[in-house]
Amino acid sequence: MLVTLSTKNILRQSVTSGRIVSNAFYRRTFASSNNINSDVTDTQNLVEKIVQKYALDLPEGYKVKSGDYVSIRPHHILTHDNTGAVIPKFKSIGATKFYNPKQPVFALDHDVQNKTEKNMKKYANIEKFAKEHGVDFYPAGRGIGHQVMIEEGYAFPHTLTVASDSHSNIYGGIGAVGTPIVRTDAAAIWATGQTWWQIPPVVKVELEGQLQPGVTGKDVIISLCGLFNQDQVLNTAIEFHGGDALSVEDRLAIANMTTEWGALAGVFPVDSLTIDYLRKRMARIELTHFNNKNLTPTPKGEKFVHPRINNETIQGLIDNPLTPGSNATYAKKLTLDLSTLTPYISGPNSVKVATPLAELEAKDIKISKAYLVSCVNSRASDLKQAADVVKGKKVKEGVEFYVAAASSEVQKEVEETGDWQTLLDAGAKPLPAGCGPCIGLGTGLLKDNEVGISATNRNFKGRMGSPSSLAYLASPAVVAASALSGKISSPHGLDPNAPTPSFTIETTQQSATSSDESSSAVEPEVLPNFPAVIKGELLFCNTDNLNTDGIYPGKYTYNDDMTMDDMRKVVMENYDPEFVNVVKPGDVLVGGYNFGTGSSREQAATALKSRDIQIMIAGSYSDIFKRNSINNALLLIDSPELVNDLKEEFGNKELTKRTSWNVTIHVAEGRVEVKKENGSEKTYKVGPLGKSVQEIWLDNGLEGWVKQRL
């Protein structure tokens, strides 16, 4: 395993250097890549080849592979409303200038309906900070940050572009490696231009055949989340092959929700459809660029050329194609026959449950609200699908149908085509371009016991409103049809005998270890002042896929004034309101599998720490939760065997169970000793907590780690 995260590497450039890279910064990505598309001996897949271009300080001739820990300098980094929380982190580590002000992008999109003085002041401070440091800034109303990143070419094919938001996977729809980082990483990237990443195992997904009429990319990803719902792709990167007939909009929807599938990235190939999409976007920008204050005004008499989406950069993709090596290696290979899919519905309240629409339609499930919003399905083609369904009709009395464009540019386009007015004429309620109800903020949230159907990407319990409500996910056309009928419905008749999707799965090689420096060849070491032994009682939360909304509700996420004492009162509120009355200081929390799935909110880790939880155990973790935990000095251990023993002993009768099992954890040796109430004992072997994790913990997180080394 290659480990390049070190003091020298991550801080090779001084924080105060304030280096600004010229337009060559945008062009360097498209230099000849023929050396990357090597010969028959090349085993790098597409994801590894893209990461190769952004990895730093590699040994001469070294080719990165899955499992490598590498220092990366992302092409761009997006922060949204959480910029307000990253700014104090940036300042607290002693940084005064950005490593490269053209690397970050700020876009306000999450709480845009909040017009309170407090939120307006926060937004104004972010804009002021951007102006002071020369960072590109997009105000509330311009659109969802991920959509802006694509529209303005920050997320460009064959780049590695990150965001402090879990849906950065969407960039893979145009052939980029988009992956989430967390707020502490964002501060480090602002200051140093780089952060760390472990290249995940890469899964090859072959999409065969063509979609039937009425079936969309949303149905594809809902099907995949339901068909492979046992963590088969957890913490991997997905590399899609085939699916040549899928539109770029469908690809964006699929890539976006690879997050819900459990993956860290989902990347489509760059082909003629991608090139056509970029050329159309380039033509559109020529008409709309006047409103973008981040672009340098074009001198009179000269033709406007966008700095990122232009003839040169597009031609670069054509002249220097980037493809997997002829002997590329993958952790797994999946195939899905697109022609066997029908419209699918996700839920209720879980993306892991997918049901054919025909089956649910027969159950006459009444709805109260319908939503066509969010970064996954609010582009012009999505709004057109819905407009075609409702044209000349009216939303069912008693149903509220909310619509919001993914960006102001999208809204202009659908206003020009008449699709926006068609939706309004049918009775849809317009919302500003932004996230809104998708994350439980603003107008139109689900109330107690209401049922909603949404074209968003998440339907976790309580995310879109009351924890007692039920939320389903579907394609834009199905959402619109359901708004008209007042129940989950298809826009056209469906065969109740829906075919069974045809798919295969094959494990092709050993997946890379996710434990930090867990190789048996590494000599166990406990750094001075790091606790060699941690003791406590096991507190068991027997739920798989416990998401960050359950751990720390979305309604608190963008309240930057929440103190640790505030957090300790609401932690696990959406999962178990009684958790705060059951937990005790020093408990060792044990979760199920895929603990911490969902959004990138850092508070999911810090809120657990607020209850004096020093270390936790789970069967497996969402990688973004793991990253947040390591960066915030919450120690994590994987032990599927212990979790299975607890499940067998206690079942799931109580959401939060005091077990009376006392544990002694030998952190460096990777040994967990458990003593039950009846006196019986058992020892579990786990991955040791490596030196780098210990270093970050001793400095109370990555923020302190960087600060200590400046």
Side-chain angles (χ1 to χ4, degrees), residues 390-395 418-429:
V390 304
K391 190 170 186 178
K393 302 173 184 176
K394 291 290 183 181
V395 171
D419 291 327
W420 187 253
Q421 191 59 48
T422 296
L423 291 166
L424 299 186
D425 290 344
K429 299 175 181 291

Side-chain angles (χ1 to χ4, degrees), residues 400-423:
E400 297 172 25
F401 181 25
Y402 294 94
V403 296
S407 72
S408 58
E409 297 252 328
V410 168
Q411 183 150 345
K412 288 176 187 174
E413 185 175 345
V414 292
E415 286 174 349
E416 291 169 5
T417 62
D419 291 327
W420 187 253
Q421 191 59 48
T422 296
L423 291 166

Side-chain angles (χ1 to χ4, degrees), residues 50 58 67 105 124 161 180 187 198 214 220 317 414 505 581 671 683 692-693:
I50 294 173
L58 298 176
V105 180
T161 294
Q198 184 183 22
V220 174
L317 296 173
V414 292
I505 180 170
N581 299 319
R671 189 170 78 254
T683 298
S692 61
V693 172

Side-chain angles (χ1 to χ4, degrees), residues 155-309:
F156 200 83
H158 298 161
T159 67
L160 170 61
T161 294
V162 302
S164 59
D165 185 274
S166 58
H167 285 112
S168 49
N169 289 22
I170 190 175
Y171 309 147
I174 56 166
V177 172
T179 195
I181 49 90
V182 298
R183 296 177 181 184
T184 306
D185 291 311
I189 293 172
W190 289 2
T192 68
Q194 62 190 83
T195 190
W196 63 274
W197 198 45
Q198 184 183 22
I199 305 173
V202 180
V203 175
K204 181 179 183 180
V205 175
E206 290 273 9
L207 299 175
E208 301 176 342
Q210 295 188 18
L211 294 176
Q212 299 295 322
V215 184
T216 70
K218 185 66 165 285
D219 299 302
V220 174
I221 190 59
I222 286 177
S223 300
L224 288 170
C225 288
L227 292 171
F228 304 99
N229 60 5
Q230 300 299 316
D231 295 344
Q232 292 97 329
V233 299
L234 181 63
N235 298 332
T236 67
I238 307 297
E239 192 172 296
F240 291 100
H241 293 244
D244 299 343
L246 287 174
S247 69
V248 171
E249 288 82 359
D250 276 336
R251 296 176 189 183
L252 290 168
I254 294 169
N256 181 293
M257 283 188 63
T258 55
T259 302
E260 280 64 43
W261 198 12
L264 297 174
V267 184
F268 278 85
V270 175
D271 58 13
S272 61
L273 290 179
T274 317
I275 299 301
D276 289 345
Y277 179 89
L278 291 170
R279 283 178 171 151
K280 289 176 182 177
R281 180 61 196 150
M282 183 177 73
R284 183 73 183 176
I285 293 175
E286 291 178 358
L287 302 175
T288 62
H289 72 274
F290 306 101
N291 299 319
N292 189 344
K293 296 180 180 179
N294 299 297
L295 298 176
T296 303
T298 303
K300 190 174 181 179
E302 293 187 16
K303 183 181 167 115
F304 167 76
V305 177
H306 193 274
R308 293 170 293 276
I309 304 178

